[in-house]
Amino acid sequence: MQLDPYFRFNDVSYRWIALDNWTYTTTFTLSAELSVKQKVLLVFDGVDTVGSVSLNGIAVGKTNNMFCRHDFSVKDLLKDGENVLQVGLLSPILYASEQRKAHTSYVVPPECPPGVQKGECHVNFIRKEQSSFSWDWGPSFPTMGLWKGVRLEAFDILQLVQVSSVPLYNDAFSQWRVQVELLIDAVQTARGQLTLSIPELDSEQTFQTHFNPGKTKISLFQVKLWWPNGHGEQPFYRLTIRGFQDEFLIFSTESKVRVLTYIPLLPLVCRYVSGLFSILFSLMPDLSACLSCSLKNLLQSAVDANMNALRVWGGGVYEQDLFYEICDELGIMVWQDFMFACAMYPTETDFIQTVREEVVQQVQRLKSHPSIIIWSGNNENEAALATDWFDIPASQRPKYIRDYVMLYVDNIKKLVQEEDQSRPFLVSSPTNGAESEQEGWVAENPYDPHYGDVHFYSYILDCWDWRTFPRTRFASEYGFQSWPSFSTLQPVSIKEDWSYGSNFTSHRQHHEDGNQQMILQAALHFHLPNATDPLKRFTDTLYITQVMQAQCVKTQTEFYRRSRSEIIEGKGHTMGALYWQLNDIWQAPSWSSIEFGGKWKMLHYFAQSFFAAVFPVAFEEDDTLVIYAISDLSRDLKLRVNVFSWTELDPVCTLNSSMLLVPGASAVAVFKQPIASLLAGCGNCTRLTCLLTFQLEDDSSQQGPTNHHFLCSPKDAQGLRRPNITAKVEEKKTCFSVTLHSDSVAPFVWLDVGNIPGRFSSNGFLMVSRNRTVDFNAWRPTSVAELTASLTITSLRDIY
């Protein structure tokens, strides 16, 4: 039997684990140094979730919130020699069920997830990662355990618990300064001296102070600002803090300080936000092997695809410190949800109190990170109430709205704004913002594109038709599913699973009708795979779902990017696009652009282009071709359009526009011509026989990537034939190169090297030249021989 929890149907086979109670026990010897301290704390940075703690057989305390740090005073319980520490954990499933049974006054929906998710019920009654009971992209693995560190902390006078820093703007001097906040745990109030220094500024300040339990705030130092990726640098300073009493050093700490430019209130006004959602980075948070490596790889992948923002979604966890540190370094803006998603929640006193502790702890922990630009109270809960996801009777609706306002406005919003005045707070997403507030915090239509942000999904409508998309202020969630590649699925499956209609492929799909929706959407524009060999037909089907996803998200994102500079019927000025989702937590179909293990899907390669700083996009309106130049940079640009026949690798004709100044942060129409007249000027071209590529140029070179526009669905293309593509792999100093030669036009050329981890510089591309070279960066040692043997090349015409 395969013990891997990801193997085949093991997510269901291992359900018994979460239905049991578990006990963790360890022994330790108290050091002489700790035994003489006045105060000793037993600290749990994270307990998942419902636990009782005992030390040497004596109850110390209880836990019921995965997102809280717990500390217990144990000075009097410790003894010389061996000490026994025990943590008993209750089944999260049974605990949630008991909490639901105790809530007898009214239902708090949803009771259970949809059956297709194969999940557990009542997750909204436990302060735990909400998706651990299942979601439409992941399995049900209700984890239990000590998911963060456990330690003893001991001191005589005081200890520094937390150092935070936030930016303050001094209007009088027109400069940014840092406000440093110290959170102190003291045995008693003590008078002393604080010294704060930043070597990079050659600056040191000393203060006489009283060390009181609680917070101490100090404003100091003029600093340079942190900017998002693509807009400037991400400088940091090393802040050293030392505390003295009677000239004796009682604590010393060093932390990094970065000061966020005041973009939080302006990202939807002046700078385009491009990016996507992160869910979890592991099913077993903080415990996966080489988590720091995979985190850095995923976040670097976002930056390498020209993204500058991620949303940490409310159904997962508040990420570990390393995540935010890497975002700080890479210039990734973080939209930080609080951990509430797609549900109503109870508002009993005990529940509200643990949420309050959670909010305060997390804001204190995270607010120093300039990458966090906005706090958001929940994911889709306003929309769930407004559009009646849960069939709440009209007579009961006021009760649920009162609960909603109590939790997110009266408690979470209030606490966040007390702890951090440097960032805005959104109550929900999607929301109409101020308009929602005027309507009592639950708008009649939170999806109204005139306001705030919008989530939009449509799997049945033609995703190539831009008219189906909302012209919104900010597209904060959208996407399409695809399957991962065969090399990702193979280790967790067997031969009988390798067909699109197998029990395995049905089991892994947690979105209702998801597998059928992918095929129906693909069939609108592509021939479906028809190989007689079952394995080839399966791998070709995986490929066509990725082609469909990439082209759909490309079309939608291009619509949002070109809508940034115009308002039509009161709608537009779209200043952000965050697609769902970055990564996977198991090997299954989902909306992700990166597979489990870090392999880029075709969508992520496409994102390199459609999120580029300079990029042309095309669309048709009333049989007229319109091309916009999108630019985050101010420069003079002209457009070159190449018209190709599906049968030839040389352009049928080339069209050039005149030079035009494209202002920074804008989208400008640079080309407009009826399709009929364009084709009439290009020999014997028709919609069925020809296609377009186009690029932006300045006086000396191409600016940004080349884009394409199909004049018909590829399934209707006349002259498209199966190409003969050969490849030569060569080793370079820091990577490998793959030089391709094709004898005909080849759309969606996909290079795959199986289970050799790494990524290509470009992939999934339209090949309209005889030769093209791409690089491959391997993530483990490999060779030309291994890569050559593993390399497969698929293009659209190869699957039928």
Side-chain angles (χ1 to χ4, degrees):
M1 177 183 175
Q2 275 267 13
L3 298 180
D4 182 353
Y6 300 107
F7 186 72
R8 299 196 78 208
F9 310 101
N10 278 356
D11 58 311
V12 173
S13 300
Y14 289 156
R15 182 173 181 261
W16 63 271
I17 295 173
L19 291 168
D20 255 344
N21 300 328
W22 296 83
T23 300
Y24 285 62
T25 303
T26 190
T27 60
F28 63 92
T29 300
L30 184 67
S31 69
E33 180 185 3
L34 291 185
S35 65
V36 298
K37 297 292 185 181
Q38 287 192 54
K39 189 169 184 178
V40 182
L41 297 176
L42 173 62
V43 179
F44 294 85
D45 285 326
V47 178
D48 181 11
T49 293
V50 184
S52 56
V53 181
S54 66
L55 181 62
N56 296 323
I58 300 172
V60 170
K62 294 182 180 294
T63 69
N64 65 359
N65 191 322
M66 178 182 184
F67 309 121
C68 284
R69 176 183 185 267
H70 298 86
D71 54 59
F72 307 102
S73 182
V74 294
K75 167 73 175 177
D76 297 334
L77 302 181
L78 293 164
K79 60 184 182 181
D80 295 334
E82 186 175 85
N83 291 265
V84 179
L85 175 62
Q86 194 169 83
V87 181
L89 295 168
L90 298 180
S91 160
I93 298 171
L94 299 182
Y95 173 85
S97 178
E98 289 302 314
Q99 294 298 112
R100 162 63 183 93
K101 289 176 185 176
H103 192 283
T104 57
S105 54
Y106 57 95
V107 172
V108 182
E111 294 276 66
C112 298
V116 69
Q117 292 182 17
K118 308 163 190 69
E120 306 294 350
C121 299
H122 313 305
V123 70
N124 48 343
F125 279 88
I126 182 172
R127 288 312 296 146
K128 173 178 174 53
E129 168 204 324
Q130 298 292 276
S131 58
S132 67
F133 276 37
S134 78
W135 216 265
D136 55 7
W137 40 257
S140 174
F141 277 127
T143 51
M144 285 180 284
L146 308 178
W147 75 293
K148 292 188 176 182
V150 182
R151 64 189 178 279
L152 289 174
E153 293 180 352
F155 55 94
D156 284 324
I157 302 170
L158 58 84
Q159 72 165 347
L160 190 58
V161 178
Q162 182 87 45
V163 178
S164 304
S165 58
V166 293
L168 291 177
Y169 187 71
N170 187 311
D171 289 311
F173 295 97
S174 299
Q175 63 181 215
W176 288 94
R177 294 172 67 82
V178 178
Q179 177 175 280
V180 177
E181 181 178 290
L182 310 181
L183 184 62
I184 290 171
D185 186 358
V187 174
Q188 59 188 32
T189 298
R191 183 166 178 80
Q193 180 178 292
L194 268 179
T195 299
L196 295 89
S197 60
I198 295 183
E200 292 87 351
L201 300 178
D202 194 25
S203 179
E204 182 171 286
Q205 297 182 22
T206 299
F207 308 86
Q208 298 296 325
T209 186
H210 283 91
F211 293 118
N212 298 310
K215 298 176 186 174
T216 299
K217 295 183 180 181
I218 303 164
S219 177
L220 71 163
F221 307 125
Q222 181 180 356
V223 293
K224 294 181 179 179
L225 300 179
W226 178 97
W227 290 89
N229 175 41
H231 295 285
E233 297 180 344
Q234 297 81 42
F236 73 89
Y237 302 94
R238 289 166 300 177
L239 171 65
T240 300
I241 304 173
R242 290 172 293 166
F244 298 89
Q245 188 181 42
D246 299 329
E247 298 185 355
F248 289 98
L249 180 69
I250 54 177
F251 66 80
S252 178
T253 186
E254 183 177 289
S255 62
K256 288 183 179 179
V257 173
R258 289 181 168 93
V259 179
L260 172 66
T261 182
Y262 215 66
I263 200 170
L265 294 177
L266 305 179
L268 316 189
V269 178
C270 61
R271 298 187 182 279
Y272 203 89
V273 178
S274 58
L276 70 181
F277 279 67
S278 66
I279 46 169
L280 298 163
F281 293 100
S282 170
L283 274 172
M284 288 69 174
D286 275 25
L287 298 177
S288 60
C290 197
L291 185 60
S292 62
C293 301
S294 59
L295 260 181
K296 182 63 186 280
N297 187 18
L298 280 168
L299 295 175
Q300 187 64 54
S301 290
V303 170
D304 291 347
N306 293 308
M307 299 173 187
N308 61 18
L310 286 173
R311 181 173 167 202
V312 178
W313 170 71
V317 299
Y318 306 96
E319 286 298 335
Q320 58 178 295
D321 293 340
L322 178 62
F323 168 87
Y324 301 98
E325 290 166 6
I326 297 172
C327 288
D328 291 346
E329 294 169 4
L330 296 179
I332 299 173
M333 295 181 285
V334 175
W335 171 324
Q336 178 65 56
D337 281 2
F338 288 88
M339 295 301 119
F340 301 87
C342 304
M344 303 296 99
Y345 287 86
T347 55
E348 280 79 5
T349 301
D350 289 348
F351 188 89
I352 291 290
Q353 185 55 42
T354 192
V355 168
R356 288 178 64 87
E357 293 173 8
E358 167 190 330
V359 170
V360 170
Q361 286 190 21
Q362 293 299 335
V363 175
Q364 288 178 348
R365 178 175 75 94
L366 299 176
K367 65 183 178 182
S368 296
H369 293 284
S371 53
I372 296 177
I373 63 162
I374 197 166
W375 305 103
S376 181
N378 66 74
N379 175 72
E380 298 185 337
N381 294 352
E382 180 187 345
L385 258 179
T387 59
D388 199 19
W389 289 11
F390 307 123
D391 299 319
I392 296 171
S395 61
Q396 296 183 26
R397 179 178 162 85
K399 181 189 310 177
Y400 291 93
I401 293 178
R402 283 195 300 270
D403 281 358
Y404 179 90
V405 173
M406 178 190 295
L407 179 57
Y408 301 112
V409 180
D410 298 343
N411 282 278
I412 296 177
K413 179 177 183 287
K414 183 178 179 181
L415 286 170
V416 172
Q417 292 178 336
E418 288 173 357
E419 290 290 334
D420 180 16
Q421 294 84 43
S422 69
R423 295 173 176 88
F425 177 88
L426 289 178
V427 174
S428 187
S429 176
T431 185
N432 294 343
E435 175 63 23
S436 287
E437 181 178 355
Q438 289 181 11
E439 295 182 44
W441 300 104
V442 178
E444 181 180 356
N445 176 23
Y447 298 100
D448 189 334
H450 293 89
Y451 309 98
D453 65 316
V454 167
H455 297 188
F456 180 80
Y457 293 94
S458 175
Y459 308 113
I460 305 302
L461 297 175
D462 183 357
C463 76
W464 288 27
D465 184 356
W466 60 268
R467 289 173 289 261
T468 66
F469 307 133
R471 195 180 296 274
T472 175
R473 298 289 194 231
F474 192 102
S476 58
E477 190 176 326
Y478 60 99
F480 293 84
Q481 279 199 326
S482 71
W483 274 83
S485 44
F486 182 67
S487 62
T488 296
L489 292 171
Q490 188 175 13
V492 295
S493 57
I494 62 176
K495 186 176 181 179
E496 71 181 69
D497 301 329
W498 300 337
S499 73
Y500 203 67
S502 71
N503 290 334
F504 173 78
T505 56
S506 175
H507 180 80
R508 290 277 160 151
Q509 176 57 267
H510 282 194
H511 169 61
E512 193 72 51
D513 298 325
N515 287 345
Q516 182 184 17
Q517 288 171 355
M518 282 184 272
I519 293 301
L520 290 175
Q521 185 64 236
L524 293 176
H525 297 286
F526 305 109
H527 288 292
L528 298 180
N530 62 1
T532 56
D533 176 68
L535 179 58
K536 184 179 188 315
R537 189 165 185 167
F538 180 59
T539 57
D540 287 348
T541 303
L542 303 180
Y543 163 84
I544 200 62
T545 68
Q546 291 207 19
V547 171
M548 175 276 296
Q549 180 198 37
Q551 190 70 15
C552 286
V553 176
K554 171 184 183 290
T555 305
Q556 193 166 357
T557 306
E558 289 179 353
F559 169 72
Y560 294 140
R561 290 204 69 188
R562 67 176 169 85
S563 299
R564 68 183 299 173
S565 298
E566 59 190 14
I567 292 182
I568 299 174
E569 298 177 349
K571 294 177 285 188
H573 274 186
T574 308
M575 289 306 298
L578 303 176
Y579 70 75
W580 180 274
Q581 67 202 63
L582 174 63
N583 60 302
D584 276 332
I585 59 170
W586 72 330
Q587 305 90 331
S590 80
W591 294 258
S592 76
S593 60
I594 298 180
E595 300 177 8
F596 180 87
K599 188 173 188 174
W600 286 21
K601 289 183 178 178
M602 193 179 294
L603 169 56
H604 211 81
Y605 287 103
F606 273 41
Q608 282 184 298
S609 295
F610 63 61
F611 279 143
V614 177
F615 187 53
V617 301
F619 64 100
E620 292 183 34
E621 188 168 27
D622 299 327
D623 290 322
T624 296
L625 177 70
V626 184
I627 301 180
Y628 276 54
I630 297 168
S631 181
D632 293 334
L633 314 169
S634 185
R635 58 185 55 183
D636 291 322
L637 296 169
K638 61 182 177 181
L639 181 75
R640 177 186 296 269
V641 180
N642 288 314
V643 182
F644 286 88
S645 162
W646 286 109
T647 62
E648 300 289 339
L649 283 168
D650 296 313
V652 176
C653 66
T654 298
L655 307 173
N656 292 291
S657 72
S658 56
M659 195 72 76
L660 178 70
L661 174 63
V662 179
S666 71
V668 177
V670 294
F671 184 92
K672 189 173 184 179
Q673 186 173 352
I675 297 289
S677 65
L678 186 155
L679 295 177
C682 288
N684 296 319
C685 266
T686 69
R687 279 186 173 273
L688 301 181
T689 61
C690 290
L691 68 152
L692 312 177
T693 69
F694 47 97
Q695 63 198 50
L696 293 168
E697 301 174 349
D698 61 14
D699 283 332
S700 58
S701 62
Q702 179 174 339
Q703 298 296 305
T706 299
N707 203 349
H708 64 263
H709 179 73
F710 298 131
L711 297 170
C712 68
S713 296
K715 70 178 182 180
D716 299 322
Q718 294 178 359
L720 177 61
R721 66 178 189 267
R722 187 169 298 172
N724 178 25
I725 302 178
T726 59
K728 182 179 181 181
V729 180
E730 297 178 291
E731 187 166 5
K732 298 166 68 174
K733 284 186 178 180
T734 59
C735 63
F736 295 85
S737 67
V738 182
T739 300
L740 304 175
H741 179 81
S742 178
D743 65 353
S744 62
V745 171
F748 305 107
V749 175
W750 182 248
L751 311 180
D752 194 297
V753 288
N755 59 10
I756 301 174
R759 74 170 188 252
F760 292 92
S761 56
S762 181
N763 212 345
F765 46 81
L766 170 66
M767 195 161 180
V768 289
S769 59
R770 290 173 178 80
N771 299 294
R772 179 161 182 166
T773 299
V774 297
D775 292 334
F776 179 76
N777 288 280
W779 299 337
R780 68 157 171 83
T782 186
S783 64
V784 169
E786 184 185 23
L787 284 171
T788 301
S790 301
L791 179 64
T792 60
I793 304 170
T794 305
S795 72
L796 186 62
R797 190 60 184 83
D798 295 319
I799 70 169
Y800 64 92

